[in-house]
Amino acid sequence: MTHTILLVDDHPIVRAGCQRLLAEAALGRVVEAEDVGSALDLWRAERPDVVVLDLNIPGDGGGMAVLRTIREESPAVPVLIFSMHEDPAIAARALKAGARGYVTKNDAPDSLASAIGTVLAGRIHLDSGLARDLALMSLSPPSDPLAVLTQRELEILALVGRGMTAAAIAERLGISQKTVANSCTQIKDKLGADSARALIRIAIDNRLAD
């Protein structure tokens, strides 16, 4: 059976590598999208059998917005997260939102094709290390809701709470605006926030913006 696979990633070199790996695995036809808008357009036009989704893509809400929309419109279609991040908190957030698996870009090259086969068969894909980390998280949930954030993410959240723009935060911390934007996306994913306004509220509620 030939499947249609929607691959969503904003890096052309990553998409090219995935195309090659999936062609070798003969899993089916691959269609590509690079941001939220093109992902949802292709999703509705092609109605793929499986979606391979990076969370850090341009567009309102990032990959989580794509995941939620697909789950609302067609909950039976599996979404496999394909991410550079190995943080179990991010994986947990994606799985809670309805993803059927999580693969990192540091995994072995053949793991992507294997994971796609697993979710197409109706099972959940997690490698053993990530599954262990998620199990430990469930046994010992952090009492501090911000404990899942890194020190840099806490710094950025505090500055967001003070109403600073991405450009101002980048200048203050000596990093790029893209790094600030990516960090804000990760913070939203970890904390379950759906907007910059929600991040400001969280920062205020946790006295980071004082």
Side-chain angles (χ1 to χ4, degrees), residues 2 69 80 108 113 181 193:
T2 299
T69 299
L80 176 67

Side-chain angles (χ1 to χ4, degrees), residues 69-141:
T69 299
I70 292 173
R71 293 296 296 166
E72 289 171 1
E73 294 186 6
S74 189
V77 173
V79 177
L80 176 67
I81 302 303
F82 184 49
S83 175
M84 65 179 287
H85 299 286
E86 299 181 354
D87 190 331
I90 297 175
R93 176 68 182 160
L95 293 169
K96 186 176 181 181
R100 299 295 294 172
Y102 194 98
V103 176
T104 78
K105 295 177 182 178
N106 292 323
D107 289 343
D110 60 353
S111 63
L112 179 59
S114 175
I116 291 173
T118 297
V119 299
L120 279 171
R123 302 189 300 273
I124 292 176
H125 174 85
L126 294 171
D127 71 33
S128 58
L130 182 57
R132 181 187 64 249
D133 291 343
L134 289 172
L136 291 173
M137 280 183 60
S138 67
L139 291 172
S140 303

Side-chain angles (χ1 to χ4, degrees), residues 165-186:
T165 65
I169 293 172
E171 183 176 356
R172 169 75 68 86
L173 299 180
I175 56 179
S176 70
Q177 289 190 49
K178 183 175 181 180
T179 297
V180 173
N182 287 340
S183 295
C184 286
T185 297
Q186 294 308 313

Side-chain angles (χ1 to χ4, degrees), residues 1-57:
M1 179 179 179
T2 299
H3 298 286
T4 298
I5 302 164
L6 172 56
L7 172 64
V8 187
D9 193 288
D10 62 332
H11 294 95
I13 193 168
V14 172
R15 296 198 305 271
C18 290
Q19 281 274 15
R20 184 175 65 254
L21 288 169
L22 297 180
E24 292 173 356
L27 285 175
R29 183 173 68 99
V30 179
V31 294
E32 301 180 9
E34 63 181 3
D35 54 30
V36 171
S38 61
L40 293 178
D41 286 345
L42 268 177
W43 155 252
R44 293 175 177 129
E46 297 283 347
R47 291 298 176 183
D49 301 292
V50 61
V51 179
V52 178
L53 175 65
D54 185 7
L55 294 175
N56 289 333
I57 56 173

